[in-house]
Amino acid sequence: FQDYGLPVNGFLIVDKQTGMSSYDVIRSLKKISSFKKIGYIGTLDRNATGVLPVAINEGVKLIPFFEDGEKAYRAKILLGVTTDTYDIAGNILTETNTETYESSNIQNILNRYKGKITQQVPLYSSKKVHRKPLYKLVRQGIPVEAPEKEVEIFSIKLVDYSHPYVDIYVTCSKGTYIRSLANDLGLALGCGATLYALKRTLHGEFSDQMSVNIEDIKSKDDILNCLISLENVLKSFRDIIVEEALERFLKNGMPVPLLGNTRDWSNGQYIKMLNRRGHLIGIGVVDTDSKTIKIKRLIKN
């Protein structure tokens, strides 16, 4: 990458295909080139597809600022079937012929899950209990009780109902299990249900329109052509230009003055700090009490 004379720091938005784990995507990219640092945001199950943001080199430092981003999914649910994993990849537990329902009835049930809800985490998941993923404990035959967690569903809409398949569109907080929603819908209808297919269409500011199929990434050039620069992410953050004389203070972990009217800022507000060339120096946090900006994440260019 250094041969190109271009910064190789940023985000590659991958359209993950079914059958791949999230780490398979990282493994595939590592075969193209070695990176000092690389990581993804928001695990997708092997059978799920869609938006998987991959941070490269200095981009990894920005991952914590994206983890709480809103997510959107298109899900297909199969009625009349239940599995141990809550999705079609699992072992079938029950299978019944079920009646056809009114679409309005299904939407009314879906509406129950809007807002903050408590979900039961699927036993076959990577959620850690006693420092071990749940699925490993289950496969080892170790008795374990599925934990519960609070999540938030911002919207949930019935897109299509072609019996026995129910297509829904969901926007939600991080940590939401769409598999659990499918299982809950089946319980509410009394017929059982499992997740048949899942596609993530949005992760924070990263959408499926920005994504690229991993099979189309075959060279370093392909990565560079699709890379989103650090300066072009975290669009909700305000940015300021830092004078060259103050850059060294930031690089030494020292705060810099907060210029202008402090009433324009909120205490604890994150801010993108750019140098005169427009490159990201780091993410700062505003301290209105001391009227300074303290560095939160320092970026090396």
Side-chain angles (χ1 to χ4, degrees), residues 24 33 51 99 128 138 174 179-180 187 218 250:
D24 284 341
S33 180
V51 174
E99 63 178 291
K128 290 186 178 180
V138 173
K174 75 168 186 176
R179 286 185 284 154
S180 293
L187 289 173
K218 302 181 185 302
L250 289 172

Side-chain angles (χ1 to χ4, degrees), residues 238-242 246 249-250 253-260 265-273 282-296:
R238 287 176 64 175
D239 57 65
I240 63 168
I241 301 296
V242 177
L246 294 177
F249 288 99
L250 289 172
M254 299 171 64
V256 297
L258 177 62
L259 303 176
W265 302 94
S266 301
N267 196 49
Q269 180 179 351
Y270 289 128
I271 184 171
K272 289 198 295 187
M273 310 179 79
I283 303 299
V285 60
V286 173
D287 185 337
T288 54
D289 293 332
S290 63
K291 297 183 180 180
T292 60
I293 303 173
K294 299 177 180 178
I295 196 71
K296 185 75 173 179

Side-chain angles (χ1 to χ4, degrees), residues 47 81-93 124 194-195:
N47 292 306
V81 175
T82 64
T83 66
D84 56 358
T85 60
Y86 296 174
D87 68 9
I88 200 63
N91 297 312
I92 294 177
L93 301 177
Y124 286 90
T194 195
L195 183 65

Side-chain angles (χ1 to χ4, degrees), residues 155-191:
S155 68
I156 182 166
K157 298 177 183 178
L158 177 64
V159 177
D160 182 64
Y161 173 41
S162 299
H163 191 75
Y165 296 101
V166 174
D167 285 8
I168 63 173
Y169 179 76
V170 182
T171 61
C172 56
S173 66
K174 75 168 186 176
T176 302
Y177 286 94
I178 308 300
R179 286 185 284 154
S180 293
L181 275 179
N183 184 68
D184 289 344
L185 175 63
L187 289 173
L189 287 171
C191 63

Side-chain angles (χ1 to χ4, degrees), residues 6 8 19 183 211 232 263 285 295:
L6 296 170
V8 194
N183 184 68
S211 64
N232 289 324
R263 287 180 296 180
V285 60
I295 196 71

Side-chain angles (χ1 to χ4, degrees), residues 61-161:
K61 293 180 180 178
L62 301 186
I63 286 178
F65 301 103
F66 292 101
E67 289 179 328
D68 291 336
E70 178 180 317
K71 307 207 179 131
Y73 297 91
R74 181 76 182 259
K76 184 183 287 289
I77 298 168
L78 174 61
L79 302 182
V81 175
T82 64
T83 66
D84 56 358
T85 60
Y86 296 174
D87 68 9
I88 200 63
N91 297 312
I92 294 177
L93 301 177
T94 63
E95 191 170 9
T96 59
N97 292 321
T98 179
E99 63 178 291
T100 301
Y101 301 93
E102 293 291 334
S103 295
S104 59
N105 184 31
I106 295 175
Q107 182 63 69
N108 287 337
I109 292 174
L110 293 174
N111 289 340
R112 298 178 191 174
Y113 306 114
K114 288 175 67 175
K116 292 184 178 179
I117 63 172
T118 299
Q119 280 193 325
Q120 188 176 63
V121 177
L123 285 175
Y124 286 90
S125 69
S126 57
K127 177 74 174 177
K128 290 186 178 180
V129 174
H130 307 307
R131 299 182 180 179
K132 287 189 176 182
L134 272 172
Y135 73 88
K136 287 188 177 181
L137 296 175
V138 173
R139 288 172 180 169
Q140 291 170 7
I142 299 173
V144 60
E145 186 174 342
E148 294 183 337
K149 65 182 303 185
E150 185 179 87
V151 297
E152 187 169 4
I153 307 296
F154 305 120
S155 68
I156 182 166
K157 298 177 183 178
L158 177 64
V159 177
D160 182 64
Y161 173 41

